[in-house]
């Protein structure tokens, strides 16, 4: 009998004579083996061997009633790896999870994914690697195919494949006004995609009024609560019917209302009277000041001086009596509001 190498379950194997002589038509063959095996031809082909086929096979050849010495051969059938991977349900992108592989009898592992650009394994040669699947923003499900090849220490190979559904998540996108004024409506643009629900929020939950915060475009106003420029952060969270989410933020500068103060000293002086030391509360937030506009009432009508700084105003009278005037300052902050203040002062002319 020809020798037989060890085979794996499911492989083919052949029982055959190594050398034979033909003696007419009176040659008979009698094969016997495990699992009640018997055969009466000179060779036998196993299309797919099983573990039950492992064992000794014996052949007796008779010619004209005379039997040759019996020969035998041992057929070793090695088991395949036992593959067992728990089902993996569709999940929101992006996702990372450990593959629930419970396979046994495995000596070496090999994992791969198609398309290969859609994910990666923490290690492709271990039993339960961590699979990371890349982000996917859409209103559909992307299916990635995972391939697994397992090999035993005797070289027997089994493989399988399965798909993982990556549920597309929405795209959160908004555009708010860069600046806003107290108690003014904030301009809101929501350009999000693939979402079915929305949630708006702010880091100033008490001061920022968001009407219908779950609407696609809510109404937003900000109370007057600060004398300095405030950075207000708005959050938008978008989700779909599968509860997959995306979030984005935008920052809006809140300009305070203008506060005008003027404090020239003295209020009574000889001509020329100089206003050069006005004190402005607006200096607490100089970046918010758009312009100063000063108005002077000299008794002969108003004169105006536009300046982005505090000007020096010189008032010189030549008439021979005291004059009262009115100085008014108008301040604009972030185009939000204007405030005025005034003082009375007296200028005595110099003698001629």
């Amino acid at each position: 009998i020809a020798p037989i190498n060890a085979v794996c379950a499911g492989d083919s194997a052949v029982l055959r004579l190594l050398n034979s002589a033909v003696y007419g038509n009176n040659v008979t063959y009698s094969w016997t083996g495990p699992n009640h095996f018997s055969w009466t031809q000179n060779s036998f082909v196993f299309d797919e061997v099983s573990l039950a086929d492992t064992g000794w096979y014996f052949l007796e050849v008779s010619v004209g009633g005379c039997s040759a010495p019996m020969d035998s051969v041992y057929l070793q059938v090695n088991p395949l790896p036992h593959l067992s991977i728990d089902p993996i349900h569709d999940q929101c992108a992006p996702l990372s999870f450990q593959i629930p592989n419970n396979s046994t009898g495995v000596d070496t592992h090999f994992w791969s994914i198609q398309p290969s650009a859609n994910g990666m394994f923490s290690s492709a040669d271990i039993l339960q690697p961590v699979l990371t699947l890349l982000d996917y923003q859409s209103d559909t499900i992307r299916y990635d195919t995972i391939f697994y090849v397992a090999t035993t220490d005797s070289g027997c190979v089994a493989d399988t494949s399965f798909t993982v559904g990556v549920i597309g998540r929405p795209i959160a996108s908004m555009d708010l006004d860069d600046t806003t004024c107290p108690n003014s409506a904030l301009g809101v643009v929501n350009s999000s995609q693939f979402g079915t629900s929305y949630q708006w929020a702010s880091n100033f939950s008490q001061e920022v009024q968001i009407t219908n915060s779950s609407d696609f475009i809510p109404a937003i106003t900000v109370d007057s609560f600060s004398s300095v420029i405030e950075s207000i952060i708005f959050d938008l969270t978008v989700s779909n019917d599968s509860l997959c989410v995306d979030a984005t933020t935008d920052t809006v500068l809140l300009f305070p209302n203008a506060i005008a103060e003027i404090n020239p000293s003295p209020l009574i002086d000889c001509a020329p009277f100089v206003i050069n030391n006005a004190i402005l509360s607006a200096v607490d937030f100089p970046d918010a000041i758009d312009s100063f506009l000063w108005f002077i009432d000299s008794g002969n009508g108003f004169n105006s001086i536009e300046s982005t700084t505090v000007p020096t105003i010189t008032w010189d009278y030549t008439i021979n009596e005291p004059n009262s005037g009115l100085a008014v300052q108008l301040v604009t902050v972030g185009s939000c509001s204007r405030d005025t203040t005034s003082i009375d002062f007296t200028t005595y002319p110099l003698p001629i």
Side-chain angles (χ1 to χ4, degrees):
I1 303 176
I4 304 177
N5 295 326
V7 294
C8 298
D11 289 350
S12 63
V14 179
L15 298 174
R16 63 181 178 86
L17 294 173
L18 182 62
N19 296 299
S20 64
V22 178
Y23 300 92
N25 297 321
N26 295 322
V27 181
T28 61
Y29 303 92
S30 177
W31 292 89
T32 58
N35 202 25
H36 307 292
F37 175 80
S38 65
W39 189 248
T40 58
Q41 301 296 321
N42 64 351
S43 64
F44 179 81
V45 177
F46 292 91
D47 291 330
E48 292 185 3
V49 295
S50 66
L51 297 180
D53 296 322
T54 297
W56 287 98
Y57 289 81
F58 301 91
L59 172 62
E60 184 177 24
V61 180
S62 298
V63 180
C66 298
S67 298
M70 184 178 292
D71 195 10
S72 63
V73 67
Y74 189 80
L75 174 60
Q76 175 64 49
V77 180
N78 294 319
L80 297 175
H82 175 69
L83 303 185
S84 175
I85 300 176
D86 294 341
I88 300 174
H89 303 290
D90 296 349
Q91 301 179 51
C92 295
L95 63 148
S96 182
F97 62 94
Q98 188 173 39
I99 295 181
N101 184 10
N102 305 305
S103 302
T104 57
V106 183
D107 183 57
T108 61
H109 313 265
F110 180 74
W111 296 91
S112 61
I113 180 175
Q114 287 295 330
S116 59
N118 285 355
M120 63 190 71
F121 296 93
S122 59
S123 178
D125 57 359
I126 61 176
L127 178 66
Q128 294 183 332
V130 173
L131 173 60
T132 300
L133 296 176
L134 301 185
D135 199 5
Y136 181 58
Q137 291 181 285
S138 175
D139 56 357
T140 62
I141 300 178
R142 184 190 76 205
Y143 290 98
D144 299 328
T145 304
I146 312 303
F147 298 91
Y148 174 55
V149 179
T151 306
T152 66
D153 55 3
S154 58
C156 295
V157 178
D159 61 79
T160 187
S161 64
F162 55 91
T163 58
V164 177
V166 181
I167 305 174
R169 65 189 183 94
I171 299 175
S173 177
M174 63 173 167
D175 185 20
L176 307 180
D177 289 342
D178 294 333
T179 64
T180 190
C181 301
N183 305 313
S184 298
L186 183 66
V188 179
V189 175
N190 186 354
S191 53
S192 302
Q193 301 179 60
F194 317 129
T196 55
S197 63
Y198 308 88
Q199 188 61 50
W200 298 80
S202 168
N203 59 330
F204 288 95
S205 59
Q206 300 298 321
E207 296 82 1
V208 175
Q209 310 304 318
I210 303 179
T211 305
N212 299 323
S213 60
S214 59
D215 282 2
F216 186 76
I217 297 182
I220 302 177
T221 58
V222 184
D223 297 339
S224 178
F225 66 93
S226 177
S227 61
V228 297
I229 300 175
E230 295 286 356
S231 294
I232 302 178
I233 300 174
F234 289 89
D235 303 302
L236 172 59
T237 302
V238 183
S239 59
N240 58 21
D241 292 336
S242 299
L243 303 182
C244 304
V245 300
D246 188 31
T248 186
T249 63
D250 198 1
T251 300
V252 177
L253 295 181
L254 171 66
F255 287 106
N257 286 322
I259 303 174
E261 293 182 3
I262 184 170
N263 185 27
S265 177
L267 296 180
I268 300 175
D269 204 352
C270 297
F273 183 47
V274 179
I275 302 175
N276 60 8
N277 60 342
I279 299 174
L280 306 176
S281 64
V283 298
D284 294 336
F285 39 91
D287 293 339
I289 301 174
D290 285 344
S291 64
F292 300 139
L293 187 58
W294 295 77
F295 293 94
I296 306 301
D297 179 9
S298 64
N300 297 316
F302 286 93
N303 297 315
S304 63
I305 301 174
E306 282 198 47
S307 175
T308 57
T309 61
V310 181
T312 297
I313 301 173
T314 300
W315 208 325
D316 192 359
Y317 287 109
T318 59
I319 57 177
N320 191 21
E321 61 179 297
N323 278 272
S324 295
L326 179 68
V328 180
Q329 177 196 23
L330 180 142
V331 181
T332 302
V333 180
S335 300
C336 289
S337 65
R338 297 182 177 185
D339 190 25
T340 61
T341 187
S342 63
I343 59 168
D344 293 326
F345 56 89
T346 300
T347 302
Y348 288 100
L350 295 175
I352 299 176

